[in-house]
Amino acid sequence: MSKGKFITIEGSEGSGKSTNIHFIQEYLSKKNIEFISTREPGGTPVAEKIRDLLLDKANSSLCDDAELLLMFAARSQHLNELIIPALDAGKWVLSDRFTDASFAYQGGGRGLSWDKISQLEQWVQGSLRPDATILLDIPVDIGMERVHQRGETDRFEQEQLSFFNRIREAYLKLAKENPERFHIIDTQPSIEDVRKQLATVMEKLMVQV
Ligand code: TMP
C-alpha cells in the first residue's frame, strides 16, 4: 500500500486557518481521499494535555527552552500515536501546524537557536517531513486585529506585535528555503480568491499522488 500524503497548514495568528482547513477538508472529501485532520500542539489525549499547559495564560513563568521541549514532547506522542500509523495505512494527514511552527515561534519569536530546533526535529522525526506545507500569510497588524476581535486570548496571543513580526519573517524565510515544499497563500483578498489559490495548490498535490 502506498503511503498517504502529509500536509501541514501554517500561518501567523488571525490568518484564517480554521476556515481554510475546512475548505481543504471538503476538497479531499470530494476527491474521495481518505484523510485524518489533526492539530499541533495536540492531536492525541496526552498531547492535548501538553497543549493545555502550553496555552494556559496562568503559566507565565514557563521558560523558552521548556516551551520548545514541550512542543516536541507533544509532537513525538502525536507522530507515534496518530500521524505515522495513519500515513502507513495510506491515509492523508492534514495537520493544523507542525515543526515549522517551532522554527517560527520558538526560533523566530523567542529567539532560540535554529540549530537546537533542527536537532530536536531530527531526533523526534528522523527523516519524516511534510510532503507539502500551506502557509497562510497575512500582515501582522490585520491578523492580530482579527484575534482581538474574537475575544479571549491564549498565552501566545498575548505577546507584542514585534513577536508576531518575527514569526511572520521566520515563516517567509522557511518558505524561501524550502520552495519545493511550501505554498504561500495570500489571505488578504476575498474568500473566493483565497479558495481559488488553495484549489490550485490542492490540484498540484493530487497530480503528485
Ligand atoms: P493555534 O491552535 O491557534 O494554532 O494555537 C497553537 C499555538 O501554539 C499558536 O500560538 C502557535 C503555537 N505553537 C508554537 O509556538 N510552536 C509550535 O511548534 C506549535 C505547533 C505551535
Side-chain angles (χ1 to χ4, degrees):
M1 184 191 299
S2 65
K3 277 201 165 204
K5 270 191 196 291
F6 183 23
I7 316 285
T8 58
I9 320 292
E10 300 282 355
S12 33
E13 314 287 330
S15 58
K17 272 191 299 123
S18 310
T19 315
N20 291 310
I21 286 173
H22 190 66
F23 174 76
I24 298 170
Q25 290 167 338
E26 280 178 353
Y27 183 96
L28 291 174
S29 297
K30 274 191 207 139
K31 301 280 177 187
N32 289 320
I33 292 192
E34 217 185 329
F35 69 95
I36 60 157
S37 224
T38 185
R39 68 172 180 183
E40 287 214 344
T44 73
V46 168
E48 286 289 328
K49 283 188 183 166
I50 301 176
R51 177 190 177 90
D52 290 344
L53 210 150
L54 280 160
L55 266 55
D56 187 350
K57 277 188 278 202
N59 295 329
S60 56
S61 63
L62 190 66
C63 69
D64 294 347
D65 278 347
E67 180 180 286
L68 174 66
L69 291 165
L70 283 169
M71 289 293 175
F72 273 94
R75 184 160 299 133
S76 174
Q77 188 66 32
H78 190 204
L79 279 164
N80 285 294
E81 196 179 335
L82 190 70
I83 297 180
I84 293 173
L87 293 173
D88 286 347
K91 292 180 192 160
W92 285 39
V93 174
L94 194 60
S95 185
D96 177 350
R97 298 198 190 280
F98 193 62
T99 302
D100 293 306
S102 298
F103 282 105
Y105 280 74
Q106 283 67 52
R110 303 281 190 224
L112 294 182
S113 109
W114 278 49
D115 192 42
K116 262 190 197 169
I117 304 171
S118 296
Q119 284 176 32
L120 288 169
E121 179 183 44
Q122 196 56 38
W123 178 15
V124 169
Q125 294 166 228
S127 61
L128 179 70
R129 299 288 179 277
D131 294 297
T133 298
I134 296 173
L135 174 59
L136 301 169
D137 185 49
I138 187 146
V140 169
D141 50 343
I142 300 177
M144 288 317 288
E145 206 179 296
R146 286 189 192 165
V147 168
H148 290 295
Q149 273 168 7
R150 278 202 307 251
E152 185 75 7
T153 51
D154 63 34
R155 198 174 60 83
F156 289 98
E157 289 164 345
Q158 289 185 311
E159 293 288 340
Q160 304 293 317
L161 275 190
S162 54
F163 175 75
F164 295 106
N165 276 317
R166 291 195 298 278
I167 288 166
R168 185 178 183 214
E169 275 167 28
Y171 269 133
L172 293 172
K173 177 172 176 252
L174 285 160
K176 209 169 166 190
E177 285 171 356
N178 300 277
E180 68 301 328
R181 174 165 70 84
F182 268 85
H183 303 271
I184 303 179
I185 304 287
D186 176 3
T187 61
Q188 275 194 94
S190 65
I191 289 187
E192 290 72 38
D193 188 287
V194 172
R195 290 191 165 181
K196 261 188 217 152
Q197 295 180 61
L198 279 173
T200 306
V201 171
M202 294 308 292
E203 271 154 32
K204 267 193 214 153
L205 296 180
M206 299 292 300
V207 173
Q208 291 163 11
V209 172

